[in-house]
Amino acid sequence: MTSENMRAAQFELGGPEKLFIGKVPIPSLREKEVLIRVVATAVNRVDLLQRMGNYPVPPGASDILGLEVAGVVEKLGPGCTSGWTPGDNVMALLAGGGYAEFVASHEDHIMPVPKDLSFEEAASIPEAWLTSYQLLHKIGQIQEEETVLIHAGASGVGLAAVQLARLANATVFVTAGSEEKIKKAVELGAKVGFNYKQEDFSEKILQITEGRGVNVILDCVGASYWEKNVKSIAVDGRWILFGLLGGSEVNGDLLKQLLAKRVRLEGTTLRSRSVQVLITCLFLMFLWEISLHLEK
């Protein structure tokens, strides 16, 4: 391997058996980009979908898998002003490229690795936690004493959202596919979980909330849950759609029911956001974290 090349995970469309290690050029640094020597990365559902050909790469992003990493700053590109220096231990949010020995990241998408976290732990933070913060606070506008229903509550984003919602003094309900997953979500702050394979979560939600429903739904499922979501959501509720694991085609009077309850339905993805929007999310998350410490 020459100094201009690196090893990276490559793939052909299909399952994990289609992954292989190949040689590719080390990324060239654009304005305000930092080169990171990758120590650890994380697996996100988007990586699986992209590997199977079901998730297009955003324009300008690397076609290498991997949306978050932890590692060491190798060198700085032109115009960097954020104060990073070679040798800094960092974690980064990416549009792609994390499954490699090196990755380029915008300097403002990089955060220091806390001293009490390993690289492996740090690599699991940027995508899941920033997505959850965006869903709950920037879009969902969760408030104290409100209720939130989180689908796939034991996923990476789900567990992050459970903890963030509890820090915001909201009451959390989750759906998951096993008792083990529900137990983990409850341990981290969920009030109760519903096994979607065994029970109708909408009926349980209405029972617990005495017919009011929940103020916020974080929905990565989509079409197959729409009727139960409509039943579960409160008047003036916020329904945040960020995935389509249950399909995208809806047949029925969804719009009529949304109108009747004055529900706000909003779709979002993090990967396609502009650099400036991501910087804003990171800054807001930082300010919110500081405010929590000040309250203590």
Side-chain angles (χ1 to χ4, degrees), residues 135-150 161-162 164-173 189-191 205 208-209 212-218 232-240 264:
L135 297 173
L136 277 172
H137 290 280
K138 185 173 176 60
I139 301 174
Q141 298 176 338
I142 193 72
Q143 303 296 315
E144 285 191 21
E145 299 184 2
E146 285 194 322
T147 51
V148 56
L149 171 61
I150 302 170
V162 166
L164 289 174
R166 286 301 300 130
L167 285 172
N169 293 320
T171 300
V172 184
F173 307 107
K191 179 176 181 178
I205 287 289
I208 294 172
T209 62
R212 293 185 300 274
V214 295
N215 302 110
V216 177
I217 296 178
L218 303 188
S232 300
I233 200 162
V235 173
D236 292 320
R238 288 92 72 195
W239 178 353
I240 315 303
R264 192 184 88 202

Side-chain angles (χ1 to χ4, degrees), residues 46-47 86 127 139 184 187 214 227 239 255 276 291 296:
V46 168
D47 298 316
E127 172 71 15
I139 301 174
K184 174 55 68 174
E187 288 175 354
V214 295
E227 291 175 296
W239 178 353
L255 296 181
Q276 191 56 51
S291 70
K296 294 177 181 179

Side-chain angles (χ1 to χ4, degrees), residues 11 16 59-60 71-72 93 133 178 242-243 248 275 281 284:
F11 66 94
V72 181
L93 178 69
Y133 180 83
S178 72
F242 67 103
S248 60
V275 169
C281 285
L284 290 173

Side-chain angles (χ1 to χ4, degrees), residues 243-278:
L244 297 169
L245 297 176
S248 60
E249 295 186 9
V250 172
N251 296 310
D253 60 352
L254 171 61
L255 296 181
K256 178 182 177 181
Q257 296 192 53
L258 292 180
L259 187 62
K261 283 190 168 183
R262 301 192 300 269
V263 172
R264 192 184 88 202
L265 172 60
E266 185 166 349
T268 184
T269 61
L270 185 65
R271 193 178 187 184
S272 60
R273 294 281 189 181
S274 68
V275 169
Q276 191 56 51
V277 169
L278 292 175

